[in-house]
């Protein structure tokens, strides 16, 4: 996509030169929170080298996004960045 090729890949290469080598795949995951749809997303992990999270909403309350470190780290889920 244009977003991926013209913006995200150059940004990723600039910020993470080692991790971005050979990175050509992408995976899209969307959660839409509504009373009649998704109401929550449990803590989970994926095997991504790099993740981009984008908020597409304009008005909401109570939303958080937490990063808990590497699953192989003994402090995994003990320290959070929210």
């Amino acid at each position: 996509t244009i977003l991926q090729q013209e913006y995200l890949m150059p940004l990723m290469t600039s910020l993470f030169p080692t991790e971005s080598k050979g990175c050509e795949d992408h995976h899209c995951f969307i959660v839409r929170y509504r009373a009649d749809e998704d109401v929550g997303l449990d803590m989970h992990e994926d095997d991504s080298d790099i993740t981009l999270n984008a908020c597409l909403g304009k008005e909401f309350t109570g939303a958080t996004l937490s990063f808990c470190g590497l699953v192989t780290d003994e402090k995994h889920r003990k320290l959070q960045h929210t």
Side-chain angles (χ1 to χ4, degrees):
T1 66
I2 292 173
L3 174 65
Q4 180 185 6
Q5 296 301 318
E6 292 187 16
Y7 298 97
L8 299 180
M9 294 299 284
L11 178 62
M12 180 177 68
T13 302
S14 176
L15 295 174
F16 305 102
T18 302
E19 294 85 350
S20 64
K21 287 186 182 181
C23 184
E24 297 175 0
D25 279 344
H26 71 279
H27 174 76
C28 181
F29 180 77
I30 298 173
V31 177
R32 179 174 165 171
Y33 297 106
R34 290 176 49 159
D36 59 339
E37 295 181 21
D38 291 327
V39 294
L41 180 62
D42 233 356
M43 181 74 67
H44 68 280
E45 59 190 61
D46 59 42
D47 63 355
S48 299
D49 293 316
I50 297 173
T51 299
L52 170 71
N53 292 285
C55 174
L56 302 177
K58 293 184 179 180
E59 294 184 31
F60 53 87
T61 59
T64 61
L65 173 65
S66 300
F67 295 94
C68 301
L70 297 173
V71 71
T72 56
D73 190 336
E74 67 180 44
K75 294 182 181 179
H76 175 65
R77 293 193 179 183
K78 294 179 183 172
L79 301 174
Q80 279 191 342
H81 303 284
T82 301

